[in-house]
Amino acid sequence: MGMRIAQAAVMLLALLFLAPFLLFFLNTFKDKDHIYDTFHMPNLLYWDNYSRMFATSDFIPSLGYTILICLFTLLIIVLFSSMAGYIISRTRNRWISSLYLLFAAGQIVPIQTSMLPIYKIGVATGMINTAPFLILVYVAGGCAFATLLFAAFTRTIPEALEEAAAIDGCSRAGIFARIILPLLRPAAATIVVTTIYWYWNDFTGPLIYLNSGEVSPLMMTVYKFMGTNNTVDWGPVYALCFMSALPMIVFFLLTQNRLLKGLVVASVKG
Amino acid sequence: MYAGKKNGLVEWLFVAPALIPFLIFVVWPFVSSLYYSMTRWNGFTSPVFIGFDNFGRLFREASFVAALSNTIVFTLAGLLISNVLSLLLALALNRAGRSKAVLRTVFYLPGVVSFVTMAVVWSSIYHYYGPINEILIRLGLESWTREWLGNFDTVMAALIIIMVWSGVGFGVIVFLAGLGSIPADLYEAADLDGAGAFAKFRYVTFPLLMSSVTIVTFLGLTTSLKIFDLPFLMTNGGPGDASTTLAMLIYKQAFSYSNYGYASAGGIVLFVLVGFISLLQIKATRGREVQL
């Protein structure tokens, strides 16, 4: 009996959790007169909001821009931090192994604490408001986190493999590229599926460092589009929001098994 | 296996690509923020050293105190509600059988959506002509309707609900993993000792879940202490200072008023808060974890 009530409560809560998504999705099809009519069932063939959104916003270029930013950020993070993580977990050098603590401590510095000096670096180098600058900022923070993970994963790889290769005359770089890196592939996948959301969904970073570029990352485009359409025309704003959230929703549904496993590993080791 | 000077150099070359950006964009900004926090600086003229004046000014200013207390309310409420709700959900889902996977997905789904999208969706939900007021009217509770985000009494609760909505899924996942790692024979032993359902939870499940509690609490704390996007996008800290957070106040002092020294001092206070609570929290929960 108690079990039944608990199950019903969970189901009800699940529906409540989904309700905002449903409302959101339906809102993208509502015309101007019905946008605040909650229980109005819109005509799902009414595509006007979408076509107006495509016509008046920078959705397509922003989408490409965000994909590129995520791609470069994650590629660089995976490469740099797998190298660092490998060495940190194997080294006998006390300075290098203590980098683990430094990287861990770096995790707690809030962006608001370091944003002004970073902004200043951007202005001084003329890189502010460019995508490479944002990527650099992402890489700096992301590498610290990913290095901790890669170090933890490397510890599970037996050292005997490397010893054998070293005896055969393989260099350290060769050992890393031919033996370690392939074995770290699951760790790399975990990092990609757990952290891509940080970069895709990030708003604070572009707000501070990439505010007035020719093209904006998606979240910045949504923000600016909200500003121009505010209180006048919400339909296209919903359509834009939906289209920019959709890739991550699909990505999540496709990779959720790895993500859900990875989250636990990442949070324990990170 | 590896030794010698040459190997030392190789090792440094391997860590350099990750270390150098970290030094430039994490360590250096932090150290220089410490200095800037003790200066009067507008970003154009050179900073003037004024000691701890900025910090004194911070704690005398009503808007800072309001932001600090809002941030603490966000953090405590988020922590308590998310932890309890995700633990209850995980316990229920753990016995849900086939629907477990689907429910897990549902509860995690809000976590993959950006705060920008959330802000748009939830602004429409809390809108005066939105679904909440609409439902209240249909239930005959017209006197309860209000501008949820424009009201001093409801704005914080409204934002906390969104935070819980977006964060509970993570807790559920971690607690489910924790529950899955508890050996079944412990429950069998408890059964033999005649333990009831509550006793089993109190003496077996809960102690063995402490490491999961650590994870959920730690991440919840640090995220909500730093909360910026949601109030910035939805209320811009209003009405008045009612939903201004520390992170927002710092952002505004820096980029709207060019009070760079003052903003840096705020940044250091935020860092100390995050750092101190993180340390405290790790110490407190690590001590109670049961090692198997």
Side-chain angles (χ1 to χ4, degrees), chain A residues 136-201:
Chain A
L136 266 175
V137 176
Y138 284 159
V139 165
C143 270
F145 171 77
T147 300
L148 302 181
L149 263 185
F150 276 118
F153 272 99
T154 310
R155 272 186 216 114
T156 65
I157 301 173
E159 261 181 88
L161 287 173
E162 288 157 68
E163 280 159 21
I167 290 166
D168 291 344
C170 202
S171 71
R172 200 77 192 264
I175 290 172
F176 174 73
R178 289 199 207 115
I179 298 173
I180 303 295
L181 201 55
L183 290 172
L184 286 178
R185 268 211 302 252
T190 297
I191 283 164
V192 171
V193 299
T194 49
T195 64
I196 188 171
Y197 306 97
W198 302 352
Y199 308 116
W200 188 283
N201 290 335

Side-chain angles (χ1 to χ4, degrees), chain A residues 10 17 36 38-39 80 87 91 103 113 117-118 120 140 163 172 175 201 204 207 219 223 238 252 256 260 263, chain B residues 1-2 7 11 14 17 21 25 29 33 36 41 92 104-105 108 112 114 124 127 129 131 134 165 229 251 267:
Chain A
V10 171
F17 264 66
Y36 288 117
T38 307
F39 298 103
F80 287 6
I87 292 297
T91 188
F103 282 151
T113 307
I118 295 178
K120 234 186 110 194
E163 280 159 21
R172 200 77 192 264
I175 290 172
N201 290 335
T204 318
L207 180 71
M219 295 310 140
Y223 175 64
Y238 288 124
F252 166 66
Q256 55 169 322
L260 299 181
L263 270 184
Chain B
M1 171 167 68
Y2 306 103
N7 179 56
E11 293 198 334
F14 263 80
F25 290 103
S33 266
Y36 291 138
W41 181 39
R104 207 173 49 173
T105 307
Y108 194 79
V112 307
S114 75
S124 81
H127 194 275
Y129 297 107
E134 174 83 33
W165 177 72
D229 315 39
Y251 176 84

Side-chain angles (χ1 to χ4, degrees), chain B residues 81-103:
Chain B
I81 302 173
S82 297
N83 250 323
V84 171
L85 189 61
S86 47
L87 180 58
L88 287 176
L89 280 172
L91 287 169
L93 258 61
N94 202 31
R95 301 185 173 190
R98 263 187 306 169
S99 52
K100 177 175 162 182
V102 178
L103 287 170

Side-chain angles (χ1 to χ4, degrees), chain A residues 3 10 13-14 17-18 20-21 23-24 27 36 38-39 80 83-84 87 91-93 95-96 99 102-103 106-110 112-121 133 136-137 140 143-144 159 162-163 172-173 175-176 197 201 203-204 207-208 219 222-223 226 234 237-238 241 248-249 252-253 256-257 259-260 263-264 267-268, chain B residues 1-2 7 10-12 14-15 17-19 21-22 24-26 28-30 32-33 36 41 85 89 92-93 95 103-110 112-114 116-117 120-122 124-125 127 129-131 134-135 138 165 168 170 173 177 215 219 226 228-229 232-233 247 250-251 254-255 260 263-264 267-268 270-271 274-275 278:
Chain A
M3 205 53 214
V10 171
L13 205 60
F17 264 66
L18 281 180
F21 286 103
L23 182 79
F24 175 34
N27 273 353
Y36 288 117
T38 307
F39 298 103
F80 287 6
M83 289 163 61
I87 292 297
T91 188
R92 304 244 160 73
N93 181 329
W95 287 97
I96 293 181
L99 290 179
L102 182 72
F103 282 151
Q107 300 293 305
I108 58 172
V109 181
Q112 280 77 16
T113 307
S114 47
M115 66 181 180
L116 283 172
I118 295 178
Y119 185 80
K120 234 186 110 194
I121 295 171
F133 189 70
L136 266 175
V137 176
C143 270
E159 261 181 88
E162 288 157 68
E163 280 159 21
R172 200 77 192 264
I175 290 172
F176 174 73
Y197 306 97
N201 290 335
F203 170 70
T204 318
L207 180 71
I208 302 171
M219 295 310 140
V222 176
Y223 175 64
M226 259 162 77
W234 278 99
V237 177
Y238 288 124
C241 271
M248 284 302 103
I249 293 176
F252 166 66
L253 294 176
Q256 55 169 322
N257 284 330
L259 169 76
L260 299 181
L263 270 184
V264 178
S267 46
V268 173
Chain B
M1 171 167 68
Y2 306 103
N7 179 56
V10 169
E11 293 198 334
W12 280 110
F14 263 80
V15 294
L19 182 60
F22 183 79
I24 298 175
F25 290 103
V26 180
W28 164 249
F30 174 68
S32 52
S33 266
Y36 291 138
W41 181 39
L85 189 61
L89 280 172
L93 258 61
R95 301 185 173 190
L103 287 170
R104 207 173 49 173
T105 307
V106 167
F107 288 114
Y108 194 79
L109 199 58
V112 307
V113 177
S114 75
V116 181
T117 303
V120 171
V121 176
W122 282 88
S124 81
I125 292 175
H127 194 275
Y129 297 107
E134 174 83 33
I135 290 169
R138 294 201 180 192
W165 177 72
V168 148
F170 175 75
I173 305 303
I215 295 166
L219 273 147
K226 295 190 263 192
F228 171 79
D229 315 39
F232 178 82
L233 288 160
I250 296 164
Y251 176 84
F255 291 105
Y260 285 10
S264 299
I268 297 300
L270 181 62
F271 169 78
V274 174
S278 305

